[in-house]
Amino acid sequence: MRKSGDALVLLLAGGIGSRLNLLVGHRAKPAVPFGGIYRIIDFSLSNVMNSGLTRVGVLTQYKPLSLMAHIGDGAAWDFTGRTRGIKILPPRTGEKDSDWYKGTADAIRQNIDFILANPSEQVVVLSGDHIYRMDFAAMLSYHQYKKADITIGMMVVPKSEIHQFGAGIIDNENRIIGWEEKPKVPKTNLASMGIYIFDTKYLLRTLAQNRTEVDFGMHIIPRAINEDRVYAYPFYGYWRDVGTIQSYWETNMDIIRENSGIEPEEWEIRPNPECTSHSIDRPPVKFQSGCKVASSLIASGCVIEGTVINSVLSPGVRVRKGAVVSNAVVFADSEIEENAVVDLAILDKRVRVGAGAVVGHGENMTLANKEYPKHLYTGISLVGQEAKIPAGAKIGRNCIVGFGYDGAAFDGGNVLPDGQSA
């Protein structure tokens, strides 16, 4: 049996992530800040590192610059050295303008040369936009024990959520005997986590057989179940797909909720403290006289003069005297000025909320955003990067204030009604 470090990792980090709305307006989904000091992709990269895997290709596509800057040379996750490394793999554009990745299998197919240049017995394919801890070395051992061609990480989810995933039907030995891709009327609640192990020779042969098969879940897995040895690897820990505003907010809140199952420090999740676009190497937090903090995560460099309750603050956030931040996720270097209120909101980097302003005004949580009703419908409001909320303004529920908003009045007034965008 070969060591887990001999397997090759291909990390898919190129999806649009459009359901995260303006949070992905200027960055790739895996590069979205999370949990105060992390980016979403830090969880997958740290799992790879902690599993003893040392060779990684990161397949990027949409808005990759912030992600590339964050990963750098991979030193933050020990991916540097003679026998270890990480490489960014963009789409092979050039022959045609349309030669971008058309699906998960097509993305791997376009990087066969990388697989051939890094000989391995197995290829581990991961997504870069999930929050979890997993030991891939144990999954590799399971794959080898089962003599599987493909092993898929799978977990039980509520049947009300299974329509978002590929779903597997298994026998008493965990062999997958049926497959449903995002079923509307599911026969199972066993969901694919988007984690695959392939025997390398099998993967190369499969990708060469039919070049019209561009997606694992829709094309390759259903066919392989009928023809080859495909097994489910059961997973019982914490795992979240943070692909929507609601799930992203809830997962951030899980960090500060007792017994939720997520423990980034205990999981040994590493951020990149030297990434210039999101430095976390700052002085300690300052809690000024008279401030009040409860059930919150406060990152380095923050200055708290007001009140912070049930919130996650990234580095460099300032909460001025009399200001109240509750049930919120606030990105780096934002400022909440005196007597302002931020409630049930996500603020991107370098946002300024003017004195006495309210983000999250009123009690109507159910009037969905008019422009994006499937993104914002539970009362959460979004404020884009570098936006300036005017002093005394009132922003309602399920609202969106766009990137770089300059602080002008909303339609001639000082109120942005529930469900509206500016």
Side-chain angles (χ1 to χ4, degrees):
M1 184 181 297
R2 294 168 66 88
K3 296 182 297 182
S4 63
D6 291 321
L8 179 65
V9 177
L10 294 176
L11 201 160
L12 301 171
I16 298 176
S18 58
R19 292 177 298 170
L20 286 177
N21 205 283
L22 54 73
L23 299 184
V24 292
H26 294 82
R27 58 171 74 90
K29 178 182 173 184
V32 172
F34 176 85
I37 63 172
Y38 306 101
R39 303 287 184 112
I40 293 172
I41 199 172
D42 292 345
F43 288 77
S44 292
L45 291 174
S46 297
N47 286 331
V48 171
M49 174 193 71
N50 293 331
S51 299
L53 300 163
T54 58
R55 296 174 297 159
V56 185
V58 180
L59 284 65
T60 63
Q61 185 154 271
Y62 297 99
K63 300 181 177 69
L65 295 182
S66 61
L67 183 62
M68 293 166 65
H70 178 69
I71 293 173
D73 64 357
W77 304 275
D78 290 337
F79 294 137
T80 56
R82 291 184 62 186
T83 60
R84 56 183 62 223
I86 189 166
K87 186 173 182 179
I88 304 296
L89 302 169
R92 307 304 175 89
T93 54
E95 293 181 16
K96 299 177 184 176
D97 290 341
S98 60
D99 281 347
W100 281 37
Y101 298 144
K102 300 175 182 66
T104 51
D106 181 65
I108 303 302
R109 183 181 287 113
Q110 288 198 39
N111 289 283
I112 284 176
D113 57 344
F114 182 76
I115 299 174
L116 295 174
N118 291 272
S120 65
E121 289 192 1
Q122 285 87 32
V123 174
V124 182
V125 179
L126 310 174
S127 172
D129 50 15
H130 298 148
I131 304 298
Y132 66 113
R133 176 179 66 171
M134 190 170 185
D135 182 2
F136 301 130
M139 186 174 174
L140 279 159
S141 295
Y142 176 93
H143 173 86
Q144 293 162 347
Y145 172 76
K146 290 292 188 179
K147 296 182 173 59
D149 297 305
I150 307 173
T151 299
I152 305 173
M154 306 195 80
M155 67 181 296
V156 173
V157 303
K159 275 202 172 182
S160 61
E161 298 177 10
I162 199 73
H163 66 278
Q164 305 174 59
F165 305 99
I169 300 167
I170 60 174
D171 64 15
N172 57 8
E173 294 184 349
N174 287 340
R175 185 164 181 170
I176 301 176
I177 56 176
W179 188 263
E180 302 174 300
E181 186 65 19
K182 298 182 178 179
K184 293 182 179 179
V185 183
K187 299 176 183 176
T188 175
N189 60 350
L190 190 62
S192 169
M193 303 165 66
I195 298 170
Y196 309 98
I197 294 177
F198 295 88
D199 269 10
T200 304
K201 290 180 181 178
Y202 173 85
L203 176 63
L204 294 173
R205 184 171 66 250
T206 296
L207 293 175
Q209 280 178 353
N210 190 343
R211 301 186 69 85
T212 63
E213 295 182 339
V214 299
D215 190 81
F216 288 130
M218 293 181 64
H219 305 129
I220 287 179
I221 300 301
R223 179 174 57 78
I225 288 169
N226 293 325
E227 301 174 3
D228 305 303
R229 295 175 62 84
V230 184
Y231 281 84
Y233 178 74
F235 179 78
Y236 302 102
Y238 186 100
W239 179 89
R240 294 291 184 275
D241 181 341
V242 287
T244 67
I245 291 295
Q246 186 66 27
S247 63
Y248 174 83
W249 180 84
E250 289 175 354
T251 308
N252 270 277
M253 294 298 104
D254 278 349
I255 292 181
I256 52 181
R257 185 168 58 86
E258 290 186 22
N259 302 317
S260 67
I262 177 172
E263 296 285 351
E265 185 175 354
E266 183 181 310
W267 294 356
E268 299 182 69
I269 304 302
R270 289 193 191 179
N272 183 357
E274 298 180 356
C275 178
T276 55
S277 63
H278 186 63
S279 174
I280 63 172
D281 189 12
R282 306 194 188 196
V285 180
K286 287 183 181 179
F287 295 105
Q288 303 286 37
S289 176
C291 75
K292 187 178 183 180
V293 177
S295 301
S296 295
L297 188 155
I298 313 293
S300 59
C302 291
V303 179
I304 311 300
E305 301 173 59
T307 298
V308 181
I309 300 172
N310 201 48
S311 295
V312 175
L313 274 54
S314 291
V317 173
R318 184 149 198 161
V319 180
R320 296 284 188 177
K321 187 175 181 179
V324 177
V325 177
S326 58
N327 306 302
V329 181
V330 184
F331 290 8
D333 299 311
S334 293
E335 182 168 355
I336 319 302
E337 296 188 359
E338 289 188 2
N339 300 314
V341 174
V342 175
D343 178 62
L344 194 58
I346 302 172
L347 277 55
D348 210 317
K349 293 161 59 174
R350 297 184 294 276
V351 167
R352 182 179 290 258
V353 180
V358 178
V359 179
H361 174 69
E363 303 300 324
N364 188 353
M365 303 291 183
T366 58
L367 182 62
N369 184 268
K370 184 177 180 180
E371 189 175 0
Y372 297 100
K374 294 184 178 181
H375 294 183
L376 296 169
Y377 51 87
T378 62
I380 299 171
S381 288
L382 294 180
V383 181
Q385 220 177 109
E386 299 180 0
K388 296 179 177 63
I389 306 302
K394 289 181 171 56
I395 296 171
R397 304 292 183 176
N398 295 316
C399 290
I400 298 175
V401 178
F403 173 87
Y405 187 82
D406 63 2
F410 306 112
D411 289 335
N414 220 23
V415 176
L416 186 63
D418 298 328
Q420 299 299 307
S421 302

